[in-house]
Amino acid sequence: MYDLSIVTDALKQIIIDALAASPLFGGGPPGFSTAVSGQHPQHPSLADCDLNLYLFHVTENKHLKNAFWSQSMLTGQPPGPPRQPVAYEPLCLDLYFLLSAESQTSYTHEQQAMSVAMRALHEYGTLQLATPTPTGQPASEVSITLESPTPDELSRLWQALTVPMRMSAQYRVGVAMLMPRTGLTEQPPPVQWTLLGGPTGGADAGIRPVLYGTSRHVRLTTPTGPSGYDQTPATAGPGQQFLLRGRNLADTDVVYLVEYTGGGEVETDVTATWRQPLPTPYPAVPADGVPFLLQVPAAAPPPGRYGLRAGRPSEPGYRSGTVPFGVAPVVDPDGGPLVAASGGVYTATVHNVPATGAQVRLGTAPLRQIGSGTPAAGQWHLSGTTLTFAAPAGLVPGRYAVHVRAADIEAQPALWAVVP
């Protein structure tokens, strides 16, 4: 990234989208004119209510400030002229924004606008920017954090702005990376090699598999666009993939699912039904620890907390340590992310949801399960893979996430019900 205004524009768009369809205004725009600007607060617009998202301070991220030392050692970039190694590293910045509101006619308008803006930014723990990262990924991410400056710090800030103090909040956005003009250069080929020898026998010669844990990167589409988060230990449902991480993992190793029962443990070999080939650059899993890619099959175990362990066919009695993993229900995202009611009843497709013991919520509002028939207000019904439900009476109009939970394991977000 070469332009910090990309970050400002992305944050502004979040607020603009939130103002256009906020539950506070019945799912539509406010009844008064608003203007969202990245300008200095001393430049008011002609709208009734100004929202200013002003980038007032930029600092270098202290946690990444010295990262170039190890980077230069690994890459072998020259330490002297024409440029120091730091010139080949991205400049890692923390951006501090001042969000403020001012209405020409009503304190209610400015407080309502601030409420919508702060709620919208709160929903984004991380924000994807359509800019390349140092590792060449198609997008980079920044985190959004509401800061808590002291009253003394705020008073000094507003005195420096030379405008009357407004209702305001301070946000830290980081880490924004300004890329160097010239990246790392190609290194010369090696001229010396060192060969090490050891006993023959390969991966089975006393080098056993060791597991570290499970992890999963969840990708989803929200009403405001693509989003995602990382999950460790992983929970996954039918059709969803996750990684089993460890050391000394060989392609011939076996993966066991451990089910905890009242009388102990039940171990099941799931290698043939769960194991997936790793994508390039790992067409096959080498023995030095590249993780296993697993996918929960359609015939999934019931939702709950399980364990995973590894074994080796050449040592039938050996088992690695057990790492935690959760089997989850799944809400099908087809037709979403927004779903509307038909005749007051919403319909969704779900998988791996038990007939009894499951929970369904709209936002934080719990719904009550019924055995048959059409759900009334505040009820839900499951028929095979079809979930039907109705919003509770008196629920404020807006968008509510559909939460499905079973055996204390919750499905990843996929649908949002529009309550008129």
Side-chain angles (χ1 to χ4, degrees):
M1 181 170 67
Y2 298 102
D3 184 2
L4 292 180
S5 68
I6 294 175
V7 182
T8 305
D9 291 339
L11 295 175
K12 281 177 50 185
Q13 193 60 49
I14 291 175
I15 298 174
I16 292 172
D17 292 343
L19 284 170
S22 172
L24 181 62
F25 308 116
F32 50 90
S33 61
T34 59
V36 182
S37 169
Q39 291 289 104
H40 191 285
Q42 72 180 9
H43 297 289
S45 68
L46 298 179
D48 173 54
C49 184
D50 278 325
L51 267 176
N52 290 92
L53 187 69
Y54 176 56
L55 177 57
F56 72 93
H57 187 53
V58 179
T59 63
E60 190 172 10
N61 184 278
K62 61 183 179 181
H63 301 293
L64 298 178
K65 183 177 178 65
N66 293 325
F68 73 90
W69 287 112
S70 61
Q71 293 283 345
S72 64
M73 179 179 65
L74 293 174
T75 57
Q77 296 301 314
R83 291 193 289 173
Q84 297 295 322
V86 68
Y88 298 97
E89 302 296 328
L91 178 59
C92 303
L93 301 176
D94 289 332
L95 312 181
Y96 290 87
F97 287 85
L98 185 69
L99 177 66
S100 62
E102 181 184 36
S103 173
Q104 304 294 328
T105 60
S106 171
Y107 69 88
T108 302
H109 292 173
E110 64 184 31
Q111 292 180 17
Q112 288 178 336
M114 280 289 286
S115 299
V116 174
M118 294 182 68
R119 178 178 179 271
L121 294 177
H122 175 70
E123 292 177 349
Y124 281 80
T126 59
L127 174 64
Q128 284 195 348
L129 304 173
T131 58
T133 65
T135 56
Q137 298 300 318
S140 57
E141 287 186 346
V142 293
S143 62
I144 306 173
T145 308
L146 178 63
E147 296 286 290
S148 300
T150 65
D152 184 57
E153 291 173 334
L154 278 177
S155 68
R156 290 200 305 268
L157 173 62
W158 281 101
Q159 288 176 19
L161 295 177
T162 66
V163 292
M165 187 172 184
R166 300 178 180 179
M167 180 185 182
S168 61
Q170 182 175 316
Y171 286 87
R172 172 192 168 275
V173 178
V175 175
M177 297 186 181
L178 291 182
M179 302 303 296
R181 183 178 60 183
T182 303
L184 300 176
T185 59
E186 184 178 356
Q187 295 304 295
V191 295
Q192 180 178 343
W193 294 264
T194 300
L195 298 179
L196 300 177
T200 59
D204 289 338
I207 305 176
R208 294 171 167 176
V210 177
L211 296 184
Y212 295 150
T214 57
S215 65
R216 180 171 176 245
H217 183 70
V218 180
R219 298 184 182 276
L220 66 151
T221 301
T222 71
T224 55
S227 184
Y229 58 89
D230 293 317
Q231 190 181 66
T232 303
T235 63
Q240 296 175 343
Q241 296 183 338
F242 64 99
L243 292 177
L244 177 63
R245 299 185 179 275
R247 177 168 51 87
N248 303 328
L249 297 176
D251 191 44
T252 55
D253 286 341
V254 180
V255 179
Y256 295 98
L257 178 71
V258 180
E259 181 179 1
Y260 302 103
T261 64
E265 299 178 349
V266 176
E267 183 182 86
T268 305
D269 184 349
V270 296
T271 310
T273 53
W274 290 46
R275 180 88 176 274
Q276 302 292 317
L278 275 173
T280 304
Y282 304 114
V285 180
D288 58 357
V290 172
F292 286 173
L293 178 64
L294 304 180
Q295 177 175 304
V296 180
R305 301 192 183 278
Y306 295 80
L308 291 170
R309 60 174 65 129
R312 181 154 291 172
S314 60
E315 299 184 60
Y318 173 73
R319 295 292 186 271
S320 71
T322 305
V323 296
F325 166 71
V327 176
V330 171
V331 178
D332 197 319
D334 287 350
L338 295 177
V339 291
S342 176
V345 176
Y346 300 84
T347 302
T349 301
V350 295
H351 305 279
N352 207 31
V353 177
T356 59
Q359 302 171 10
V360 177
R361 290 180 290 115
L362 280 188
T364 58
L367 306 183
R368 182 172 59 86
Q369 184 178 8
I370 59 173
S372 60
T374 302
Q379 296 179 343
W380 67 277
H381 170 60
L382 180 65
S383 176
T385 61
T386 301
L387 173 70
T388 54
F389 58 93
L395 199 62
V396 177
R399 301 170 180 173
Y400 294 87
V402 180
H403 297 284
V404 177
R405 192 178 185 90
D408 204 30
I409 304 292
E410 186 155 333
Q412 76 176 53
L415 299 176
W416 280 256
V418 179
V419 178

